[in-house]
Amino acid sequence: MKLTIKSLPSLVLIAVMFTACNSSGTSNGNRGALASTAAEKVYVAPGEHDEYYAFFSGGYSGNLTVYGLPSGRMFKEIPVFSQFPTNGYGYSEETKPMLNTSHGFVPWDDLHHPDISQTNGKLDGRWIFVNGNNTPRIARIDLKTFETEEIIEVPNSAGNHSSSFITENTEYVVAGTRFSVPVPQQDISIKEYKGHFKGALSFISVEPETGRMNMKFQVMMPGFNYDLSHPGRGKSHGWFFFTTYNTEEASTLLEVNASQNDKDFIAAINWKKIEEYVNNGGGTKMPANYAHNVYEHATHGAKSTMLKEVLTVDPTEVPGAVFFLPTPKSPHGCDVDPTGEYIIGNGKLSADLTVHSFDKMIAAIEAKKFDGEAYGIPVLKFEDVLAGQVKSGGLGPLHTEFDGKGNAYTTFFISSELVKWNVETREVIDRQPNYYSVGHVMIPGGNSAAPFGKYAVAMNKITKDRYLPTGPELEHSAQLFDISGDKMELLLDFPTHGEPHYAAGIPAEILAPKSQKIYRLEDNKHPFAVLNGEDTRIERNGNEVHVYMSMIRSHFTPDNIEGIKVGDKVYFHITNHEQDFDVPHGFAMIGANNAELLIMPGQTKTLVWEPKQVGVWPFYCTDFCSALHQEMQGYVRVSPANSNIEPSWSLGE
Amino acid sequence: MKLTIKSLPSLVLIAVMFTACNSSGTSNGNRGALASTAAEKVYVAPGEHDEYYAFFSGGYSGNLTVYGLPSGRMFKEIPVFSQFPTNGYGYSEETKPMLNTSHGFVPWDDLHHPDISQTNGKLDGRWIFVNGNNTPRIARIDLKTFETEEIIEVPNSAGNHSSSFITENTEYVVAGTRFSVPVPQQDISIKEYKGHFKGALSFISVEPETGRMNMKFQVMMPGFNYDLSHPGRGKSHGWFFFTTYNTEEASTLLEVNASQNDKDFIAAINWKKIEEYVNNGGGTKMPANYAHNVYEHATHGAKSTMLKEVLTVDPTEVPGAVFFLPTPKSPHGCDVDPTGEYIIGNGKLSADLTVHSFDKMIAAIEAKKFDGEAYGIPVLKFEDVLAGQVKSGGLGPLHTEFDGKGNAYTTFFISSELVKWNVETREVIDRQPNYYSVGHVMIPGGNSAAPFGKYAVAMNKITKDRYLPTGPELEHSAQLFDISGDKMELLLDFPTHGEPHYAAGIPAEILAPKSQKIYRLEDNKHPFAVLNGEDTRIERNGNEVHVYMSMIRSHFTPDNIEGIKVGDKVYFHITNHEQDFDVPHGFAMIGANNAELLIMPGQTKTLVWEPKQVGVWPFYCTDFCSALHQEMQGYVRVSPANSNIEPSWSLGE
């Protein structure tokens, strides 16, 4: 159904129209069928909706961005690991605990790989998981509210890069360290790296109903670098695959010293076997210190807990659980096709792609055909597990996704191109240049058993001249391809916000109907909420003053406050009494030293202000909310510290 | 000239291609002439460039975003008043001083109105000025580097809203307080508002060559609210116009109490007369405490100075300098047409627009035909200054821009529409609905003597169903209109990042050729820069350790560091030795508690790390910079506080 809005709206009509428009997310096919040019293919007319959501990692922004496909328009930035002045995330009292870690408050991170929750190998659109790369963490974002609900730190890790990928029923979200480190951390020379450092691969269980995460176990692997990972699916469900590099275990000048071996490994982990082992009491508990932060929608508040223990597993103690598949050369991407049969290792210093066969791997394991071992872990023979190689003709393969129609799409950084090839025959079908130096590629559902093979998005590392110049610092750039035909067709360049390392796409029809519009006031359990007008008040407790405030178009209650003194710590607990969709109010206190708040309908948030100067200081709404928005303001009088003035206020509702 | 890139690039070719592509910013006319559908009109094909830059304020994001028109793609977010984890602005040692204010470090603000520098009333594209609304500040952004170069705080102000607009030769950037406050601030009751509060209108001079700002004088006006402002131009150059509301001087329940008067005022300020007055020794110096922060490109560092004095002017002491023009009713926008003759007051609670005549105002002043005074300031007679009214048929007019062809475009918030009318005849020509509840409108150059009347962008306050839903919190939405014909044609909806209060547009051909690509290493005057490989080193000074580090694809020098101890304060001073366009490197230290750094070619930045735990901790590059980016890493060994270990490092270049 296609819906175009033509009539002149009045404010009264908006609510009615929204109901009608809600279904326009399903208008996919029509427009596509009619479109003839690239311009028409990417154009989403006013009043129509995009066909797909695409969640792009922001890399060093620490946040996640939400785009529409095919338009390439950015709909939202979801703060995850970084402070976000726009809505006060990481500044407001309710959200500050989300950024707690074992080494204190960390205002930022480097976010890499989003993965959407699955049921039976298919995207279910309940949550999206992302990893913090620097301070090793995994976050879970609720896809009803598009808010970060939970962050768990990953102990014994450093550079949480081969993360966060989920198993086909979202049993686990898996996180692997990129850097190996001493476990436990200790004061040893860097020269002692070889043989003394460990790489932790973490399996974090996900509670099926709530999504709540729990650090189930860590597999303590040899001191290689663990670069990327993907789950087995279908017949290989129960296994997880990780690329390794620096099997040389160099600790300096890695660009030379970690590129010596002709083959590194893909590590195959039978997590079902290890799960059974730990469920039967296997593994070793070791002391660890890591944060688990949970945001509760009912209280609109986050709580941070420090965990003290982690269960570790020595892979040599679980026979049949871990194997190494030799893979040329410093493989980066580690991708599994929708059937679960093929495990593709993209040797980033190699021209050819290595395609391993799951069936052959199992046969070799059963036949115990090993080529020695590494730190007690059996190494399979390359030729025993190889399905074949793709003679790509490209250089610097990084990542592969799938269209669900038997084709794979591999990015080549050095030759700067996207190459389409047949998974079974391993023949190259098509190639298209990328501008410039592509990293990841994303096909909606491309990391699941059931991809939606209409569009592919290339995420490029170099932008240069693709857009109007903006000084030395540029946004990165994505390119959208139509992959519905035999040949890929470049449709659109669009800039991305931050550095997208990866993205996850999902059809709008799965996600859009679930999206929450408001927080219901009746569900508001914030301890300092003002649910009725008569509860607005001010309470002093020593130097602490609590202002219980409500806001509704176009008024703060109270709007005149006296009796605040220099040296006080003033908590503004503000409840937005609106119950209409898209009527946030903001709160800014002139002279406040922390961020403003953006408060959604039905929500309560708290801003702390420590006034330093005597005077009369205004506050105001920062979100243009009505014709009388500019009148939505008030004043606070600040008296000297030694004043005897008592708290007073005027204008309850 | 139109340029489309078709050939497969290699890394070697990129530099050559960029040179060729640079001119594609001028391909405006061609594509427009061929386009027939809205889709084709907004489509900028891969390899082509947009015709216009549009700088959107981010509102409560505190930052400025850069879009292309007609594509609606966001090319960049420029951090101004808010911390920006993406590149470490407001976290790195070099940029933290930019966010200093008289009441300490403020990590955020509410950014409202961008205005591009002018010469002879025409956009010259050297700088863009923006205002901080909450902590009253004006910032200047350099349009060669797209970086914030200078921020000056505005004393005696609270809610710096009628800002930041510039005079036609960028003599001044003007900032008016929205809220009136006691001047100087003092402990008086809010009930004493009327007659005791003042509204400061600040004239900040701009040094013609460098753009350096200086707080020249403040006009201390009656205690009204000063909402928006615009400069005179052409014949009215030398004057500045400010809308006022709350001439009732209410301090509570403003949505009722500030809406009592049928007419408020536009304040007309003859700033040339006041400039002459202060240049001849007029005005009163008063103590004030406000910050002036300057970023030096050569040192890559910001310096914050606290100023202690401001020159204030009592308007009643400069006869002939300040007048009030009665204007119905709570006027919001205050817009001056390209000829400088018409001053338009958008009475936000009125259906009609009030168009004042500059000539009639001058005649009335010369004839001394006053209708009394307000706090000693002469009030002109409404009918003596009125050119006429526009019977718009809309409700809730907010803002007006111009196309340079004799037409004005006014937004109506309540009736949610954009209305085109003839400036001379004041007849309505066309109207188009906005989805939903439009605030500002922007036409490139629309606030200058020479607008570029091809596109208009409506910035809407309510988004609702315009895009795929993203939970309770939505981006705001813009709508692009083709205004080249008699009728406006809606082309595109696109989301905006933050809350755009206003935007400023400029043709790409003015700006693009000036854009800087790198920082030259030979110009690097950072006191801790490492310009030669042999200068990389570590120096200990008590508990302070300075690491002088260089980075180039794909290596940090040094990459192994020992001798750091718990309790040290480690300064990483890192110089990016690249001299190619678009090869930034990032730096992330595992376990650091402040943001990462993104370092542009030729630039030096500093990250402070206070290690808290013994161990070996990796660091890495966060920007995917080459095929061996994942190998661009190193380790720091942290020993116990009482260790005798001496600083050591390995691998100079």
Side-chain angles (χ1 to χ4, degrees), chain B residues 610-629:
Chain B
E610 299 182 67
K612 297 192 179 79
Q613 198 188 335
V614 161
V616 180
W617 304 97
F619 54 88
Y620 66 100
C621 173
T622 56
D623 190 287
F624 204 103
C625 55
S626 78
L628 289 163
H629 159 73

Side-chain angles (χ1 to χ4, degrees), chain A residues 201 219 221 224 226 239-242 244 265-270 273-274 315 318-326 361-362 364-374 376-381 385:
Chain A
L201 308 180
V219 186
M221 299 285 286
F224 311 150
Y226 295 86
W239 290 79
F240 224 95
F241 303 94
F242 295 80
T244 71
F265 298 128
I266 284 177
I269 312 273
N270 185 334
K273 198 177 272 285
I274 300 177
V318 195
V322 182
F323 300 90
F324 284 133
L325 287 64
M361 179 190 90
I362 293 297
I365 291 170
E366 285 174 355
K368 297 191 190 305
K369 289 177 71 179
F370 301 131
D371 194 14
E373 45 90 355
I377 295 169
V379 178
L380 295 160
K381 286 186 184 159
V385 294

Side-chain angles (χ1 to χ4, degrees), chain A residues 118-122 165-174 203 230-241 268-275 321 336-343 358-359 361-362 447-449:
Chain A
Q118 297 181 15
T119 302
N120 295 325
K122 293 179 179 170
F165 300 103
I166 54 117
T167 57
E168 75 173 21
N169 285 298
T170 322
E171 296 94 338
Y172 289 95
V173 53
V174 175
F203 287 74
H230 267 102
R233 53 180 59 101
K235 60 182 169 183
S236 55
H237 179 58
W239 290 79
F240 224 95
F241 303 94
I269 312 273
N270 185 334
W271 58 263
K272 279 218 168 161
K273 198 177 272 285
I274 300 177
E275 181 186 56
V336 179
D337 88 307
T339 70
E341 163 63 7
Y342 297 111
I343 303 117
F358 178 75
D359 287 344
M361 179 190 90
I362 293 297
N447 172 32
S448 77

